[in-house]
Amino acid sequence: MERRRIFKIFLLGLSMAVHPFVHAQDLSERGDSLRPSIALKTNVLYDMVLTPNFEIEKDLGRHLSLDVETAFPWYTWHRNLRCYEVFEAGGELRWWTGHFATTRQRRLTGFFLGLYGAGGYYDLEWDGTGHRGEYWSTGLSWGFSRRIARHWNLELSASIGYVGGPYKSYEADENYHPLREHYGHIHYFGPTKVKVAFVWLIGNRKGRRHQ
């Protein structure tokens, strides 16, 4: 009897622990009364390496959205002999695969495919030895955005594509006077981006007939 009682208590505790996750998944699939039109984001992986970044995504209709992003770390230290300077801007057109017209699933939530383009400038230097250049990139993205609260989603995505552009490798003194320079061009194809982003959804309450 004692074992049976312990087993029942274990099953009850397990069901209570699992219920919030099942409920969250159900809400993620069904959505709620929120109809988001704009999403604001930051990539946590960039933040962890001290790379400020910002994204804004606009809902364009039943399946489309446009995501615009920028990253802008700009650090110089150690008498100008070390620097981490990057400016990047880009956009991504996304196709969301959910059936938003026939289910309660809210927009900007679920699986998506994207076509992106980006470009930027960088100057990376350590103790007078560095690499400076411009670049552009284009490719495809795939990801998933899941509801974690009424106005919040968690987005996971990865991209693959091409990166190209001219660069200069150099050695310089603290006054930026070049001591030695080498010029080249980047040609790279492969994984280009990984994203773990917190998403703040801004929108209005749906009417009953749209739920």
Side-chain angles (χ1 to χ4, degrees):
M1 293 293 296
E2 190 66 27
R3 289 183 181 180
R4 187 174 299 178
R5 180 179 300 177
I6 293 175
F7 183 67
K8 288 182 178 180
I9 294 174
F10 171 76
L11 289 180
L12 177 62
L14 182 62
S15 63
M16 293 178 63
V18 170
H19 176 73
F21 296 98
V22 174
H23 183 61
Q25 176 64 25
D26 182 56
L27 287 175
S28 180
E29 293 176 351
R30 294 189 296 105
D32 56 10
S33 60
L34 179 68
R35 184 167 189 170
S37 60
I38 293 177
L40 306 180
K41 316 176 190 181
T42 183
N43 188 346
V44 179
L45 300 182
Y46 281 10
D47 295 331
M48 291 174 61
V49 292
L50 303 180
T51 302
N53 66 97
F54 176 76
E55 290 183 55
I56 182 169
E57 184 172 6
K58 178 70 173 70
D59 177 31
L60 299 180
R62 186 178 300 172
H63 290 283
L64 287 176
S65 69
L66 179 63
D67 185 78
V68 179
E69 62 181 333
T70 182
F72 42 91
W74 208 263
Y75 308 116
T76 302
W77 70 102
H78 195 64
R79 299 190 309 275
N80 292 328
L81 291 176
R82 298 176 184 174
C83 70
Y84 174 35
E85 298 176 346
V86 178
F87 176 78
E88 179 181 285
E92 181 173 300
L93 185 64
R94 292 180 170 180
W95 172 267
W96 295 83
T97 63
H99 301 288
F100 305 106
T102 58
T103 71
R104 293 169 54 92
Q105 182 180 359
R106 66 181 180 185
R107 296 184 181 178
L108 305 183
T109 302
F111 289 96
F112 65 85
L113 298 173
L115 174 65
Y116 82 88
Y121 163 88
Y122 62 93
D123 189 358
L124 309 174
E125 182 180 350
W126 188 265
D127 289 341
T129 300
H131 306 277
R132 178 186 303 166
E134 302 172 355
Y135 65 94
W136 63 272
S137 177
T138 185
L140 300 174
S141 297
W142 177 86
F144 177 73
S145 184
R146 173 173 174 168
R147 175 186 174 174
I148 56 176
R150 175 169 168 75
H151 285 274
W152 290 92
N153 275 16
L154 179 65
E155 180 181 313
L156 308 176
S157 68
S159 302
I160 185 171
Y162 174 81
V163 180
Y167 72 89
K168 176 176 70 174
S169 298
Y170 63 88
E171 293 183 11
D173 60 22
E174 61 187 18
N175 296 316
Y176 293 105
H177 295 149
L179 304 176
R180 185 167 56 184
E181 296 179 336
H182 168 74
Y183 293 85
H185 201 283
I186 298 174
H187 293 287
Y188 167 81
F189 181 82
T192 53
K193 292 190 296 183
V194 177
K195 182 186 302 180
V196 178
F198 285 110
V199 184
W200 180 33
L201 297 166
I202 302 173
N204 300 315
R205 183 179 293 273
K206 299 179 186 177
R208 278 187 183 276
R209 61 178 181 175
H210 297 300
Q211 293 181 11

